[in-house]
Amino acid sequence: MTENIGNDAGEGQANAEAEERTLIQRTLRGDQSAFACLVDKFRNPIYNLCYRMLASGGDAEDAAQETFLRAYTQLHTYQAERKFSTWLFAIASHLCIDMLRRRRYPVQPLESVALWKQSNDPLPEDYALSEESSAEVRTLLKLLPEKYRLVVVLRYWQDLSYAEIAEATDLSESAVKTQLHRARRMLADYMMKRKEAQGHAVSRVL
């Protein structure tokens, strides 16, 4: 039964990719309706990536529209051996980072956190991205430097593999893993400090 489910999923993925290739070829021949179908298919994941990166609905809309505009004008450079979704994520990722740098988005100085501290205690990142903390993590994402924010969003919200993230960000897989580890530690450390501060505030009230 499990094997059949796996086969069905693999067949469905293959069919989806074949459909994408057909739409791409039609677009390259001048069929704008074909590209509209690609936009409809990827609008939500691209918007979600932009929103997580930019923390603004308006900016995310602008970034998503610009992503598809760039994809349309650069479609002739797309290499068929790459996943089309990864290629789109790469365009959106670079665009969002450029926007963040232009607006000089304020970030906390979390680079100074002792990321490699040796301890016998459980690692705080084991629960930092747990389901019960997901809303808080989304809030804290904007405190991360953009390069760390990007790999977290691609991994945990877009469910990309390490290889796909590496392709989208022009990093090696080992660099992706290192940045994810550091980002998780930063998030966990900040969450713990905020909880401690909240605890102190409550104790003062009592």
Side-chain angles (χ1 to χ4, degrees), residues 62 84 98 108 116 126 133 148 150 164-165 173 180 186:
D62 292 343
F84 185 68
D98 287 344
Q108 297 293 326
W116 309 109
D126 288 342
S133 300
Y148 294 133
L150 177 59
E164 290 170 335
I165 296 172
E173 286 190 44
L180 275 169
M186 289 178 184

Side-chain angles (χ1 to χ4, degrees), residues 118-147:
Q118 296 297 316
S119 171
N120 293 324
D121 297 331
L123 291 176
E125 69 267 23
D126 288 342
Y127 60 82
L129 295 175
S130 62
E131 183 62 29
E132 63 270 21
S133 300
S134 60
E136 188 172 12
V137 171
R138 286 195 294 270
T139 300
L140 296 176
L141 268 179
K142 60 186 177 182
L143 301 177
L144 289 175
E146 57 262 22
K147 65 178 181 179

Side-chain angles (χ1 to χ4, degrees), residues 15-198:
N15 290 338
E17 291 178 358
E19 179 185 10
E20 289 168 15
R21 287 194 293 271
T22 299
L23 292 171
I24 290 167
Q25 290 302 316
R26 285 172 51 192
T27 302
L28 290 171
R29 291 195 295 267
D31 185 350
Q32 294 185 359
S33 65
F35 189 74
C37 292
L38 290 170
V39 172
D40 286 340
K41 181 174 183 178
F42 293 105
R43 176 185 288 112
N44 286 341
I46 293 298
Y47 173 82
N48 288 338
L49 167 64
C50 295
Y51 182 77
R52 300 298 179 200
M53 288 296 295
L54 301 172
S56 164
D59 287 348
E61 285 281 0
D62 292 343
Q65 290 180 13
E66 180 64 20
T67 294
F68 288 114
L69 177 60
R70 293 186 182 187
Y72 183 75
T73 58
Q74 299 172 14
L75 192 59
H76 63 284
T77 69
Y78 168 69
Q79 298 172 334
E81 63 270 15
R82 299 182 65 181
K83 285 186 66 173
F84 185 68
S85 58
T86 304
W87 185 70
L88 281 178
F89 282 134
I91 295 173
S93 298
H94 291 303
L95 178 62
C96 287
I97 287 178
D98 287 344
M99 290 177 69
L100 286 170
R101 289 173 178 169
R102 286 199 301 271
R103 74 155 85 139
R104 298 187 180 276
Y105 197 99
V107 297
Q108 297 293 326
L110 299 179
E111 296 278 5
S112 60
V113 174
L115 300 175
W116 309 109
K117 178 180 177 182
Q118 296 297 316
S119 171
N120 293 324
D121 297 331
L123 291 176
E125 69 267 23
D126 288 342
Y127 60 82
L129 295 175
S130 62
E131 183 62 29
E132 63 270 21
S133 300
S134 60
E136 188 172 12
V137 171
R138 286 195 294 270
T139 300
L140 296 176
L141 268 179
K142 60 186 177 182
L143 301 177
L144 289 175
E146 57 262 22
K147 65 178 181 179
Y148 294 133
R149 192 185 320 171
L150 177 59
V151 293
V152 169
V153 171
L154 291 175
R155 179 62 174 167
Y156 295 105
W157 274 274
Q158 300 301 336
D159 200 28
L160 267 62
S161 67
Y162 294 131
E164 290 170 335
I165 296 172
E167 186 176 347
T169 57
D170 298 323
L171 296 170
S172 66
E173 286 190 44
S174 62
V176 168
K177 292 177 182 179
T178 297
Q179 289 194 7
L180 275 169
H181 174 72
R182 291 180 177 179
R184 285 162 59 93
R185 292 299 301 269
M186 289 178 184
L187 287 170
D189 184 83
Y190 196 83
M191 290 170 68
M192 290 178 69
K193 288 179 179 177
R194 196 159 91 164
K195 290 181 186 299
E196 289 173 1
Q198 290 170 347

